Amino acid sequence: MTPEEKVGQLFMIEVAGRDAVRVSEDAAALNRERYGVDTPAEVVRRYRPGGVIYFSARGDDNLGAPGQIARLSDGLQQVSRDTSGLPLIISVDQEGGAVSRLPTPPATEQPGAMALGATWSTADARRSHEITAAELEACGITADHAPVADVNVNPANPVIGVRSFGASPRAVSAFVRAAVEGLHLGGVAATAKHFPGHGDTDTDSHVGLPRITHSRAQLDAIDLPPFRAAVAAGVDLIMTAHISVPALDPSGVPATMSHAVVTGLLREELGFDGLIVTDALDMRGASGQYPPDRAAVTALAAGVDMLVLSPDLPRAYTAVLDAVRSGRIPTSRLDASVVRVLSHKISRGLFAAASDPDRAERVVGAPEFRSAVAAITSRSTTLVKNDGGALPVRTGAHEVLVTGADSPAVARLAASFRSRGHTVTALDAGAAPGPAVIEEAVGQARSAALVVVATNGPGAAQADLVRALLAASSPVVVVGVRTPYDINRFPGAPVYLATYGNGATALDRAVGVVLGEHGPSGRLPVSVPVADDPSRTLFPVGHGLRLPGR
């Protein structure tokens, strides 16, 4: 291979458009702005990248119907093989729950990691990920950037939260192993992220550089066990985090740029011999300190194998090539990463990879997949609080007010009540309900037999809405549709259900619990602290109530 071909293999890029050669004017303009050419095929021919990552909400819009995705994958693979003789790693962030790229429907609506953690069933996690992988594989996607291996020990974490399996390192390790096994059973590569652990931060690395203050002993006890479990399970890729961890590297550089973290800890101490890939290099945790050319060269020098989403690919590619030619990146260092990339492609069978659009249409969202995942999701619903046995509500049809700060959740909860014959008023309170909206909700609540309010995370206005409804009406059922921590902002609420997501299946199950159609079986995978004294616990890990008589 020429140096140019080798350097191309180090990049995992994004392309705009739903077809390799025929794209919309908007997609062509985006490709032209980024790469100087119009189509995904031309981008691949020019840069000969090692991989492509699909998106559905970055202006790229790669993901439509299953058959379309399969045709795009096949077209890109053909272009890559014709150009360089090498296949592509085609990847996507399909974690389930909050981070799901494939359109649903037709793709099966998967629960997120924390919902799976609430089932306390690694068998459920394995099956969920196996189904995810089967649908991805049918679309020609070869690698999933999942599972999240972060242990969410910080309730204020703005970027991980429900993307984590929980707060217990032992439990998260077991679920990570099950997820890796499931993805492999379904036929795609797995990625453990975000190394060395993004679970205890109150900063989002998309917008800044978080600082993890754990000691080395704490890292060994809390953050690293899930990654060790992933390595033991044969995980294919590990994604680095744009976080500063002084206990591992006192210089304070992001882990992605740290030789001590990437090579010293992950490669040498943990013994990982697969592909080390960066988190997106266009995130501020990386780009805030490192311009595209410096970021690419520094990450490779640290020991990373593949550079994901360099924000200026032409500049980053040229910088790496210049560093190789000048000797700043030794040929041996370049070749080591290229060999790992090619070894991955051989071991995953990518040289023979082909996608069948008709098969993709049959596999994605297959009835047996939807049925299995609905059952798994139903086992995650957690009844955190039920003072006085307020649930179930059994008195026949109701005038129901459904309100809250999560628009999809309000709509889906309302639809579930209506499907059961109830008269429903749905009031979308907005992300930060103001006094006028709260007053309207209180007025509606006074004439309702049942009030259901959805909350979706921190926010004083949401708590004000809940408190106002509690003062004005009874019964009030609060449904936490993201992380389960919301209850600590209004601990006087008599009823609190946690669904760990706002998907239709999860919310329909919550309505069924409210009405006594079935009992909840989930248990908290995290502890809920007292809001004004985090050293005290309001509800512990493993807490979960059952309905009376069930």
Side-chain angles (χ1 to χ4, degrees):
M1 297 174 67
T2 66
E4 291 81 1
E5 289 172 327
K6 291 178 182 179
V7 169
Q9 289 299 298
L10 306 181
F11 287 89
M12 186 171 289
I13 69 170
E14 58 185 331
V15 292
R18 292 190 175 189
D19 187 89
V21 297
R22 294 179 297 276
V23 297
S24 68
E25 279 301 318
D26 287 345
L30 190 53
N31 287 325
R32 194 158 51 245
E33 178 186 345
R34 288 173 176 161
Y35 310 119
V37 294
D38 288 359
T39 69
E42 290 171 308
V43 177
V44 170
R45 288 192 191 100
R46 174 168 290 191
Y47 290 99
R48 304 183 183 191
V52 170
I53 180 169
Y54 286 163
F55 284 98
S56 58
R58 291 173 59 102
D60 303 72
D61 196 25
N62 303 126
L63 302 171
Q68 171 267 313
I69 303 171
R71 282 187 290 272
L72 173 61
S73 299
D74 213 43
L76 292 175
Q77 292 288 23
Q78 190 61 55
V79 169
S80 184
R81 291 191 189 103
D82 289 347
T83 302
S84 66
L86 300 173
L88 293 164
I89 298 169
I90 298 180
S91 65
V92 71
D93 292 306
Q94 187 73 7
E95 298 172 13
V99 180
S100 298
R101 307 298 188 200
L102 267 62
T104 54
T108 303
E109 184 180 75
Q110 291 281 0
M114 193 170 286
L116 291 170
T119 71
W120 292 83
S121 169
T122 54
D124 279 351
R126 186 178 296 105
R127 180 59 176 151
S128 173
H129 284 81
E130 181 182 8
I131 291 170
T132 291
E135 296 190 346
L136 296 179
E137 187 275 335
C139 293
I141 296 169
T142 72
D144 190 6
H145 293 308
V148 169
D150 305 313
V151 182
N152 200 75
V153 292
N154 188 341
N157 195 321
V159 65
I160 303 302
V162 290
R163 298 169 63 196
S164 165
F165 289 109
S168 161
R170 181 175 181 179
V172 172
S173 297
F175 276 95
V176 165
R177 184 176 192 114
V180 171
E181 292 169 351
L183 290 169
H184 287 169
L185 286 170
V188 304
T191 308
K193 61 187 188 184
H194 307 83
F195 188 83
H198 210 315
D200 189 6
T201 174
D202 56 8
T203 301
D204 183 347
S205 52
H206 291 84
V207 299
L209 178 64
R211 186 173 186 267
I212 306 298
T213 59
H214 286 187
S215 67
R216 179 57 202 259
Q218 288 174 310
L219 290 163
D220 283 330
I222 299 169
D223 302 280
L224 295 178
F227 291 100
R228 293 185 188 276
V231 172
V235 73
D236 311 86
L237 302 91
I238 290 181
M239 180 178 286
T240 61
H242 306 321
I243 56 176
S244 170
V245 190
L248 298 176
D249 188 335
S251 72
V253 301
T256 296
M257 312 297 174
S258 169
H259 189 274
V261 174
V262 176
T263 297
L265 179 58
L266 179 53
R267 188 69 77 195
E268 296 174 356
E269 185 175 333
L270 269 64
F272 178 60
D273 60 2
L275 282 177
I276 301 176
V277 302
T278 70
D279 205 344
L281 290 172
D282 59 2
M283 295 163 57
R284 290 292 295 171
S287 64
Q289 299 182 50
Y290 294 84
D293 49 354
R294 186 175 167 220
V297 173
T298 306
L300 289 170
V304 163
D305 297 310
M306 294 193 79
L307 305 160
V308 179
L309 297 176
S310 288
D312 185 338
L313 178 63
R315 184 177 171 189
Y317 177 93
T318 299
V320 174
L321 189 58
D322 288 347
V324 169
R325 287 171 172 164
S326 70
R328 283 187 295 136
I329 294 180
T331 300
S332 59
R333 172 71 197 87
L334 172 67
D335 287 350
S337 285
V338 173
V339 166
R340 289 190 196 100
V341 172
L342 299 183
S343 296
H344 172 90
K345 294 179 178 184
I346 293 168
S347 66
R348 296 302 309 177
L350 303 192
F351 283 83
S355 309
D356 179 350
D358 291 336
R359 176 173 171 267
E361 295 287 349
R362 292 193 303 272
V363 169
V364 176
E368 61 270 27
F369 288 173
R370 294 199 306 270
S371 176
V373 172
I376 292 169
T377 302
S378 74
R379 290 191 279 273
S380 68
T381 310
T382 307
L383 181 57
V384 178
K385 198 174 180 191
N386 189 26
D387 286 357
L391 298 187
V393 177
R394 299 180 185 269
T395 56
H398 300 281
E399 296 279 344
V400 181
L401 170 65
V402 177
T403 187
D406 188 292
S407 300
V410 170
R412 290 162 184 162
L413 286 165
S416 290
F417 277 106
R418 289 191 186 106
S419 72
R420 291 162 167 84
H422 300 279
T423 301
V424 180
T425 298
L427 175 61
D428 181 356
V437 173
I438 292 175
E439 183 178 353
E440 181 182 358
V442 168
Q444 296 278 2
R446 290 194 178 104
S447 60
L450 174 65
V451 176
V452 178
V453 55
T455 63
N456 70 353
Q462 290 191 52
D464 290 344
L465 172 64
V466 172
R467 294 188 194 103
L469 290 169
L470 291 171
S473 179
S474 181
V476 175
V477 174
V478 184
V479 182
V481 300
R482 292 278 290 183
T483 60
Y485 305 113
D486 293 358
I487 182 64
N488 71 2
R489 293 181 294 118
F490 32 81
V495 179
Y496 183 74
L497 278 163
T499 62
Y500 313 98
N502 64 3
T505 302
L507 296 178
D508 187 72
R509 177 72 180 191
V511 170
V513 170
V514 170
L515 300 176
E517 296 171 357
H518 40 246
S521 57
R523 293 183 291 125
L524 288 174
V526 295
S527 63
V528 178
V530 174
D532 57 1
D533 185 1
S535 66
R536 295 167 53 211
T537 298
L538 192 62
F539 298 102
V541 170
H543 171 81
L545 303 177
R546 300 295 175 261
L547 291 179
R550 290 185 178 271

